[in-house]
Amino acid sequence: MDYNLFGQILSNIKNKTILIKDINEQYYYNVFIKKDHNEVHLLNSTKNLIVTFIDYPTDKNNLNSFTRIINNQTYYFKDNQLIFKTLKRSTNFLTSIEKDNKLNNKFMVMDIETQTINNVMTPYTICIFDGVKKLSFYLTDYKNYNDMIIHAINSIMKRKYNGYKVYVHNLSNFDGIFILKALSSIKYSTLKPIIKDDKMIDIKIIFGKYNIAFRDSLLMLPSSLRKLAIQFNVDNKTIFPYNFVNNKFNSNINLNYIGNIPQFKYFIDITIDQYNQYIKNFKNNKSWSLKEEIIKYCLQDCISLYQIIYKFNYLIFNKYNLNIHNFPTLPGLAFGIYRAHYLNNFKIPLLTGQIFNDIKLSYTGGSTDMFKPYGENIYRYDVNSLYPYAMKSNPMPIGNITFFEGDILQYIKNPFGFFKCEITTPKYLKHPILQTKFDTGNGIRTVSPLGT
Amino acid sequence: MIFSEEMFNAIKYGYTFKILSGYTFDKEYIFNDYVSDLYEIKQSHSKDDPMYLISKLLLNSLYGKFYMSDILFYHNIFYNNELYDYIENYSIYDIIPLDTSE
């Protein structure tokens, strides 16, 4: 910042304003000497302003050590050598979302039951429940299972269901593929699937001015239907002899079967007491019809799922004024609640491109270790909500992003961010704490190495 | 790449670092209220109340959303004979066959 080095001094007014012509005689510098810094205007040959920069001295005894700020960039010079630089990056920030003022129950549920023939599962029953109306579809009434699914979907492609979400528990499993296949063959409609990491997040079908969208309720409530029904205190699933429609266990599946109650061996995961209880439903030699029973069972699944989602939506709306149907996944809902209620004035940058990829490298999973459990007179520790605790009690990186090059520790006190470093570990540590991702050639592993 | 706080902690255990470049941010406790409110709900409901499960799920589901990739994938459904057009004109990540023999 020693302006004597800029070039030939043309004028110097009271040591406050100095005009300098550069050595190559192409530019002019207009230097304004301020109390603790110099403001410099770089001018072209016709004396129009090109750029303004500000120089702050960093060493009183050495004019060649200084900090130069040009727009969003800062350069640190020591003895006229550039040793550190920073660049402020512009980003967009996370925005808040509006709350809903009306509870929305525009949803229905669908359940598909499959039979297993030579280890291949194919649908043979479909039930739909919209809160009032119960619909059922059975394979023997259609050409094939695809035809059955198309009929089922056609029955809900109606104006009155416009904007409805159709929840299927575990849609991302094989049910979704069957539905996708059927949907793709429905004429005069457009399909907009959102699939991420093999999860079917939202399968929207648009017909004319209307649309319905299939959702996977397992992505919203990650638990089995039976457990959820207990937790939400709604009518629970019933039982069904699944292996009665698996030709590994019943070599002669007859979808029109009407007769004796299937034997205990066809049921999965039930006790003999539960079986005896089940038999009591068929008193006075009442016969057991496969079609009737699977539809009853499948509809009960639908009713349970409907009640769970209804209650879940009601509780969320009550607490947060948001409808779950606007969020296809649980993390999406959590994020929505955060944006509607907790974002405040936090400037959370939306990372993209190179910055995202760079910072991603610093993310490794939680550190775990394996032991053969053995012990006598031992203490056992179980930490509750450790993850939320860490979120709550640690500061997070937000606000404006500054890129830097050089050893930041010498210029900025307690810098907070993500650094590219050469790391040397101690020679020995029983539990190395830093992890890195390492491609073994057989998949990427997270390891805690020692060395450099 | 390493997070600064992890680095400062590792220095205590004898690690040494030569920093080459990086990104700095401001810092703020942005999850304080979200976690406190939900933890309070979790503590004040019995385990068989649906709000217990809801608060627990919401507590554990927020953080991962901040690690979402900025890359969006679009899925298009088309006939087999259109596949070559797509391969020529788009960058394709994955193909899911629907097996309808069309």
Side-chain angles (χ1 to χ4, degrees):
Chain A
M1 77 177 260
D2 184 356
Y3 58 77
N4 288 308
L5 300 176
F6 286 5
Q8 182 199 354
I9 296 174
L10 301 178
S11 67
N12 183 338
I13 304 167
K14 291 182 181 168
N15 224 5
K16 293 262 182 219
T17 307
I18 299 156
L19 187 66
I20 302 168
K21 193 169 189 176
D22 91 320
I23 303 165
N24 300 323
E25 306 200 343
Q26 282 177 357
Y27 304 107
Y28 295 94
Y29 295 97
N30 213 354
V31 183
F32 302 92
I33 312 284
K34 303 279 171 75
K35 198 175 166 198
D36 62 350
H37 66 271
N38 294 351
E39 184 177 321
V40 184
H41 294 186
L42 177 64
L43 312 172
N44 65 11
S45 54
T46 55
K47 294 196 177 166
N48 286 320
L49 181 67
I50 299 173
V51 72
T52 299
F53 58 86
I54 294 170
D55 288 346
Y56 291 92
T58 46
D59 181 352
K60 270 182 191 151
N61 302 319
N62 185 352
L63 276 178
N64 293 323
S65 294
F66 61 94
T67 303
R68 174 168 293 170
I69 298 173
I70 309 173
N71 296 328
N72 55 2
Q73 297 169 51
T74 307
Y75 295 86
Y76 294 75
F77 288 92
K78 195 176 180 188
D79 288 328
N80 272 345
Q81 295 285 317
L82 177 64
I83 46 169
F84 183 66
K85 73 172 183 188
T86 70
L87 166 63
K88 282 208 174 90
R89 304 290 296 262
S90 63
T91 47
N92 292 319
F93 295 102
L94 187 65
T95 54
S96 61
I97 58 167
E98 293 292 320
K99 293 165 196 133
D100 296 334
N101 43 33
K102 246 177 93 183
L103 183 69
N104 158 8
N105 276 317
K106 288 183 173 182
F107 78 98
M108 62 181 104
V109 297
M110 181 190 258
D111 190 27
I112 299 177
E113 298 297 336
T114 53
Q115 57 178 339
T116 309
I117 295 166
N118 303 332
N119 290 323
V120 179
M121 296 166 103
T122 51
Y124 75 110
T125 307
I126 299 176
C127 289
I128 296 172
F129 182 54
D130 69 359
V132 182
K133 226 164 116 184
K134 297 167 188 168
L135 299 171
S136 58
F137 304 84
Y138 197 63
L139 186 58
T140 53
D141 298 328
Y142 303 94
K143 274 188 290 187
N144 51 43
Y145 72 79
N146 201 46
D147 187 41
M148 173 179 71
I149 301 174
I150 290 171
H151 270 86
I153 293 170
N154 267 323
S155 73
I156 51 174
M157 284 174 58
K158 291 182 175 162
R159 191 179 63 176
K160 70 167 181 170
Y161 291 135
N162 181 33
Y164 267 58
K165 309 299 175 209
V166 186
Y167 289 92
V168 183
H169 211 54
N170 207 359
L171 175 72
S172 304
N173 203 359
F174 43 83
D175 287 4
I177 294 291
F178 292 127
I179 290 174
L180 208 53
K181 211 156 109 178
L183 285 171
S184 67
S185 55
I186 291 177
K187 299 244 161 26
Y188 311 112
S189 66
T190 319
L191 206 50
K192 290 216 165 140
I194 299 174
I195 303 170
K196 217 182 146 206
D197 304 331
D198 295 330
K199 301 271 180 250
M200 299 205 180
I201 298 195
D202 188 274
I203 310 291
K204 189 186 258 185
I205 181 162
I206 301 164
F207 45 104
K209 287 185 288 179
Y210 313 113
N211 72 77
I212 56 173
F214 290 83
R215 292 275 176 87
D216 185 354
S217 45
L218 189 67
L219 299 181
M220 189 56 103
L221 292 164
S223 186
S224 72
L225 193 52
R226 200 176 289 280
K227 280 186 186 160
L228 288 171
I230 294 168
Q231 186 77 49
F232 281 85
N233 196 18
V234 302
D235 303 335
N236 210 332
K237 278 171 86 78
T238 51
I239 54 174
F240 188 79
Y242 266 111
N243 286 339
F244 197 63
V245 286
N246 181 342
N247 76 344
K248 202 163 140 192
F249 300 91
N250 179 6
S251 55
N252 190 18
I253 300 173
N254 172 10
L255 291 183
N256 292 314
Y257 177 89
I258 299 176
N260 293 332
I261 303 167
Q263 293 168 340
F264 179 62
K265 65 174 183 182
Y266 294 116
F267 290 79
I268 304 173
D269 289 340
I270 66 161
T271 61
I272 191 80
D273 288 349
Q274 281 174 290
Y275 180 69
N276 289 332
Q277 197 65 36
Y278 183 76
I279 291 174
K280 286 183 188 162
N281 297 327
F282 304 90
K283 279 179 197 156
N284 308 325
N285 276 341
K286 192 185 156 203
S287 57
W288 190 94
S289 145
L290 176 56
K291 180 178 177 178
E292 215 172 281
E293 293 309 318
I294 190 63
I295 287 173
K296 214 193 282 174
Y297 172 83
C298 187
L299 274 175
Q300 183 51 48
D301 272 11
C302 288
I303 293 166
S304 291
L305 184 59
Y306 188 93
Q307 290 177 345
I308 290 161
I309 292 169
Y310 185 91
K311 207 161 182 176
F312 183 46
N313 192 38
Y314 174 81
L315 290 168
I316 291 292
F317 185 81
N318 233 2
K319 181 93 191 105
Y320 296 109
N321 278 89
L322 294 172
N323 282 291
I324 62 160
H325 310 304
N326 295 332
F327 307 95
T329 65
L330 179 61
L333 174 65
F335 197 53
I337 290 171
Y338 186 81
R339 290 174 71 186
H341 293 271
Y342 295 100
L343 185 59
N344 301 327
N345 293 319
F346 298 138
K347 289 173 78 182
I348 300 178
L350 302 172
L351 304 180
T352 56
Q354 186 65 41
I355 301 180
F356 180 90
N357 293 334
D358 284 349
I359 290 178
K360 189 178 165 181
L361 296 173
S362 71
Y363 265 61
T364 59
S367 185
T368 54
D369 213 343
M370 282 231 299
F371 300 95
K372 277 187 182 164
Y374 172 78
E376 287 164 24
N377 285 326
I378 50 169
Y379 290 98
R380 174 177 162 276
Y381 296 92
D382 181 17
V383 187
N384 287 317
S385 300
L386 184 58
Y387 209 77
Y389 166 79
M391 286 168 73
K392 176 186 152 87
S393 36
N394 290 292
M396 297 290 156
I398 66 159
N400 292 305
I401 307 172
T402 306
F403 173 77
F404 69 85
E405 264 177 40
D407 184 3
I408 193 169
L409 292 177
Q410 297 185 33
Y411 311 98
I412 293 168
K413 210 179 159 203
N414 295 327
F416 189 74
F418 300 87
F419 309 149
K420 186 177 173 185
C421 319
E422 283 172 20
I423 303 175
T424 307
T425 71
K427 282 218 170 56
Y428 176 76
L429 263 187
K430 191 173 179 204
H431 302 289
I433 51 173
L434 292 188
Q435 304 187 124
T436 189
K437 283 178 188 158
F438 175 73
D439 193 346
T440 59
N442 194 9
I444 292 171
R445 299 278 181 277
T446 300
V447 292
S448 299
L450 287 178
T452 304
Chain B
M1 276 280 164
I2 187 164
F3 182 41
S4 53
E5 306 313 283
E6 253 187 296
M7 182 187 79
F8 290 127
N9 181 56
I11 288 171
K12 291 184 210 156
Y13 293 91
Y15 285 78
T16 55
F17 295 83
K18 187 181 170 214
I19 302 176
L20 307 172
S21 65
Y23 302 93
T24 59
F25 290 79
D26 303 329
K27 51 179 164 181
E28 193 77 65
Y29 295 83
I30 58 171
F31 297 124
N32 192 12
D33 292 351
Y34 180 87
V35 172
S36 300
D37 289 1
L38 281 165
Y39 193 69
E40 166 63 31
I41 296 172
K42 190 178 163 218
Q43 293 297 85
S44 60
H45 288 82
S46 75
K47 282 194 176 176
D48 49 17
D49 191 297
M51 282 314 282
Y52 179 87
L53 176 72
I54 291 173
S55 55
K56 193 178 165 182
L57 289 173
L58 289 175
L59 273 172
N60 288 323
S61 301
L62 179 64
Y63 194 70
K65 193 77 184 162
F66 284 86
Y67 178 52
M68 280 229 322
S69 165
D70 61 322
I71 300 168
L72 287 174
F73 292 107
Y74 294 94
H75 284 85
N76 268 315
I77 295 193
F78 47 82
Y79 296 111
N80 279 343
N81 56 18
E82 297 170 319
L83 181 61
Y84 287 104
D85 278 0
Y86 275 87
I87 290 174
E88 274 175 23
N89 296 316
Y90 298 91
S91 141
I92 293 181
Y93 179 74
D94 195 10
I95 295 169
I96 307 169
L98 287 176
D99 185 32
T100 49
S101 68
E102 280 179 52

